Amino acid sequence: MRIGFGTDFHRLKKGRKLYLGGVEIPFEKGSLGHSDGDVVLHSLTDAILGSISKGDIGDHFKDSDPKWKDKRSEIFLKYSLKFLKEENYKIENVDITLILEKPKLFNYKEQIRKNLSLLLGIDEKCVSFKAKTKEGVGAIGKGDALECYAVVLVSQVKQIIIEKTKRRK
Ligand code: ZN
């Protein structure tokens, strides 16, 4: 088993769309970034890449490359999952903590969690998504930015055992 950790931070700006975990959240501000600025997917992608020592999201997707401009971040996550599969690892569980002052995510948390389980191809029970505030302190507390932390546990897929089980069926 291996552990990966990822973190991401974006400024919030009026007129941008807010995507969290691949879900569009209605709000007056959105993440400022080269892509869609989805901090949840970016920190998660970094955690997955980190678990197999494959660098970070910026190593694979240069933010100076026009190809990724305003692109949805699902692309980056799928790419990290492809790497994980190539290295013969699978995700056991993920634990994510998002920090933002507004909007309140009470009505969206389950939707985000469901979407993450779909994107990752793992059971919802293995996806934890939490949201906190900064109690009005600092850039995040003032609603000018948001931040996310993600931890992932991956395990090596035992290919020989799988093949044997298949043959027995
Ligand atoms: Zn980011």
Side-chain angles (χ1 to χ4, degrees), residues 55-97:
D56 62 42
I57 197 167
D59 293 334
H60 302 279
F61 303 96
K62 295 267 174 292
D63 63 5
S64 52
D65 192 338
K67 201 159 84 183
W68 311 120
K69 176 124 182 70
D70 296 324
K71 283 284 182 308
R72 295 291 302 277
S73 299
E74 282 88 342
I75 301 170
F76 312 139
L77 184 73
K78 295 274 173 193
Y79 184 84
S80 70
L81 290 174
K82 198 182 81 160
F83 259 159
L84 198 67
K85 214 177 163 191
E86 280 170 9
E87 295 288 316
N88 215 25
Y89 278 89
K90 68 175 174 68
I91 295 175
E92 291 293 332
N93 73 304
V94 300
D95 186 16
I96 299 165
T97 302

Side-chain angles (χ1 to χ4, degrees), residues 10-169:
H10 281 265
R11 277 189 286 156
L12 283 165
K13 205 187 167 213
K14 275 205 169 102
R16 289 274 301 185
K17 280 184 177 174
L18 181 61
Y19 291 103
L20 295 172
V23 176
E24 189 182 337
I25 311 291
F27 190 51
E28 54 175 11
K29 289 176 177 179
S31 286
L32 188 62
H34 187 64
S35 63
D36 64 4
D38 192 325
V39 284
V40 177
L41 296 188
H42 291 182
S43 57
L44 190 53
T45 301
D46 258 3
I48 293 168
L49 290 171
S51 73
I52 45 169
S53 308
K54 288 280 179 188
D56 62 42
I57 197 167
D59 293 334
H60 302 279
F61 303 96
K62 295 267 174 292
D63 63 5
S64 52
D65 192 338
K67 201 159 84 183
W68 311 120
K69 176 124 182 70
D70 296 324
K71 283 284 182 308
R72 295 291 302 277
S73 299
E74 282 88 342
I75 301 170
F76 312 139
L77 184 73
K78 295 274 173 193
Y79 184 84
S80 70
L81 290 174
K82 198 182 81 160
F83 259 159
L84 198 67
K85 214 177 163 191
E86 280 170 9
E87 295 288 316
N88 215 25
Y89 278 89
K90 68 175 174 68
I91 295 175
E92 291 293 332
N93 73 304
V94 300
D95 186 16
I96 299 165
T97 302
L98 174 71
I99 309 169
L100 87 170
E101 207 67 19
K102 274 182 196 170
K104 292 283 169 243
L105 292 180
F106 188 75
N107 294 322
Y108 300 101
K109 268 159 79 173
E110 271 313 296
Q111 199 187 336
I112 291 169
R113 197 167 149 241
K114 269 198 184 91
N115 197 51
L116 289 171
S117 95
L118 282 174
L119 288 171
L120 295 166
I122 59 172
D123 198 288
E124 263 179 67
K125 280 184 284 189
C126 303
V127 180
S128 154
F129 177 75
K130 317 186 293 287
K132 302 175 81 80
T133 72
K134 280 271 182 181
E135 308 260 331
V137 178
I140 295 172
K142 299 275 179 292
D144 293 330
L146 76 174
E147 190 166 37
C148 193
Y149 298 92
V151 176
V152 59
L153 181 71
V154 300
S155 67
Q156 206 161 23
V157 181
K158 302 273 191 305
Q159 265 186 331
I160 303 155
I161 294 166
I162 290 164
E163 276 162 19
K164 273 184 186 165
T165 320
K166 267 184 195 161
R167 237 178 277 146
R168 232 179 275 149
K169 273 179 189 168

